[in-house]
Amino acid sequence: MYTQALNANPDAGDRTLEDAALVARFQERIDDEDRIEPNDWMPAAYRKTLTRQISQHAHSEIIGMLPEGNWITRAPSLRRKAALLAKVQDECGHGLYLYAAAETLGTSREELVDQLLSGKAKYSSIFNYPTLTWADIGAIGWLVDGAAIMNQIPLCRCSYGPYARAMIRVCKEESFHQRQGYEIMISLSKGSAEQKQMAQDALNRWWWPCLMMFGPPDAASMHSDQSTKWKIKRFSNDELRQKFVDATVPQAQYLGLTLPDADLKLNEETGHWDYGTINWDEFKQVIAGNGPCNRDRMSARRQAHEDGAWVREAALAFAEKRRVQAEAA
Amino acid sequence: MAGQTIPLWEVFIRSRNGLSHKHVGSLHAPDATLALQSARDLYTRRGEGLSIWVVPSNAITASDPSEKGMMFEPTASKIYRHPTFYEVPDEVGHM
Ligand SMILES: [Fe+2]
Ligand SMILES: [Fe+2]
């Protein structure tokens, strides 16, 4: 997902040094559905795992503004433009709520941003795909935000208080994102043959990358177990992916569009939609930095950061001047 | 100037329903004016409130979580502080 479990296991070594009684007491609190707060004792590996996950999530929200921002000036109507602008602004807000939550674990904002810009930190693979037509804005809202909602709702009950609270705010705002996207898809699907084709083309390109958003299959996922024990994660990657497929199939049918998967069929026994094989090599390539837009995204982000440097410096200098003046008065 | 960090602020909002200001989150801003403006953009995009307070995070003194027991447990035994502790005969009616 926005937090695709991209990095290796937390160091097992972290745990051996810790007081067994404290660790046991901590796990007890988790098992009792207690929320862990910033100043509470926590295992180093819990802190590390959460810092990584929350900051990856924040980076994803921030980078996620780029593909959609690409279409703000070219939206087909003022209504669509206002909605898209508001949506992209929300994503920025999500990034900021999440950075604030990550910082409560003891890493500064500057360090977190630096990890993104230096390429040390990852962000969701999905934002490394291009938005080629207006229909992509529909597909992103419908599918990417739809997948994000599937993943984020259980995170509202995450054991770490600040993360859970940030996710509650985020979830309240996501529903509009998905609906505005689906509405774009409806308009295109009911439009001219050319417009419907545009919607189908966007769906064809976004479907598989969206399934990859949920992260590696359970069998290959490295640290789900510990995250589940800590109640950071409440459903497995495959469970969430299946929920997403089941929810999306009827929505695509309503649009009269075809999901680009010849193996997709309802399993009468399980009641779920079985889907074809995901191209995990593509996923690995995108995560490794070789997706269609990785370089673009990073250079746009770095450029924005550098271009804003003088503003940050000026604002701090002004605040300092005011402080000195107030002291002298 | 590089390396200088932008201060952290806690944001409190009073919603339109008349309840008191409530903590909603935090943000970074160089000064109070910019903190208020950012708080407006970040935490009130959908009519969440009618009043904002911003407080420098380092101005907050918090209770120590390790003293939670000492701080809060004594109240648990003082059940006579609750109305349900007292008996009012049925004949008296609602009180
Ligand atoms: Fe978001
Ligand atoms: Fe969103």
Side-chain angles (χ1 to χ4, degrees), chain A residues 280-302:
Chain A
W280 292 111
D281 285 336
E282 174 182 328
F283 176 74
K284 277 181 212 142
Q285 282 299 317
V286 176
I287 291 295
N290 303 317
C293 296
N294 297 57
R295 270 163 270 258
D296 252 34
R297 301 294 182 235
M298 288 308 294
S299 77
R301 207 44 240 148
R302 286 189 192 118

Side-chain angles (χ1 to χ4, degrees), chain A residues 29 34 39-40 86 89-94 96-97 100 103 108-110 169 172-173 176-177 312-320 322, chain B residues 1-8 13 23-31 33-34 41-46 48 62-66 68:
Chain A
R29 289 189 60 196
D34 233 10
N39 295 324
D40 294 348
Q89 195 186 8
D90 275 354
E91 304 302 2
C92 177
H94 297 174
L96 297 181
Y97 309 151
E103 285 172 81
S108 73
R109 175 77 58 98
E110 285 78 5
R169 285 194 77 84
K172 273 189 194 159
E173 299 181 347
F176 132 64
H177 299 175
R312 293 190 294 276
E313 284 171 23
L316 280 168
F318 182 72
E320 178 63 10
R322 278 295 182 78
Chain B
M1 195 70 64
Q4 200 179 339
T5 59
I6 301 179
L8 188 65
I13 290 179
H23 184 246
V24 293
S26 41
L27 54 80
H28 288 272
D31 61 29
T33 310
L34 287 172
D41 288 347
L42 190 52
Y43 292 107
T44 66
R45 288 196 299 280
R46 289 178 176 79
E48 287 89 339
S63 61
D64 183 344
S66 66
K68 222 183 281 177

Side-chain angles (χ1 to χ4, degrees), chain B residues 9-21:
Chain B
W9 301 74
E10 299 305 320
V11 181
F12 300 81
I13 290 179
R14 191 181 69 224
S15 59
R16 48 187 75 242
N17 59 18
L19 297 178
S20 48
H21 286 79

Side-chain angles (χ1 to χ4, degrees), chain A residues 2 61 87 91 94 145 174 177:
Chain A
Y2 283 20
E61 301 281 356
K87 185 209 187 261
E91 304 302 2
H94 297 174
D145 288 81
E174 285 293 354
H177 299 175

Side-chain angles (χ1 to χ4, degrees), chain A residues 44 52 67 96 109 119-120 126 202 220 225 227 234 236 261 284:
Chain A
R52 182 191 298 131
L96 297 181
R109 175 77 58 98
K120 192 181 155 214
I126 194 73
D225 279 359
S227 285
R234 300 217 178 225
S236 76
D261 179 356
K284 277 181 212 142

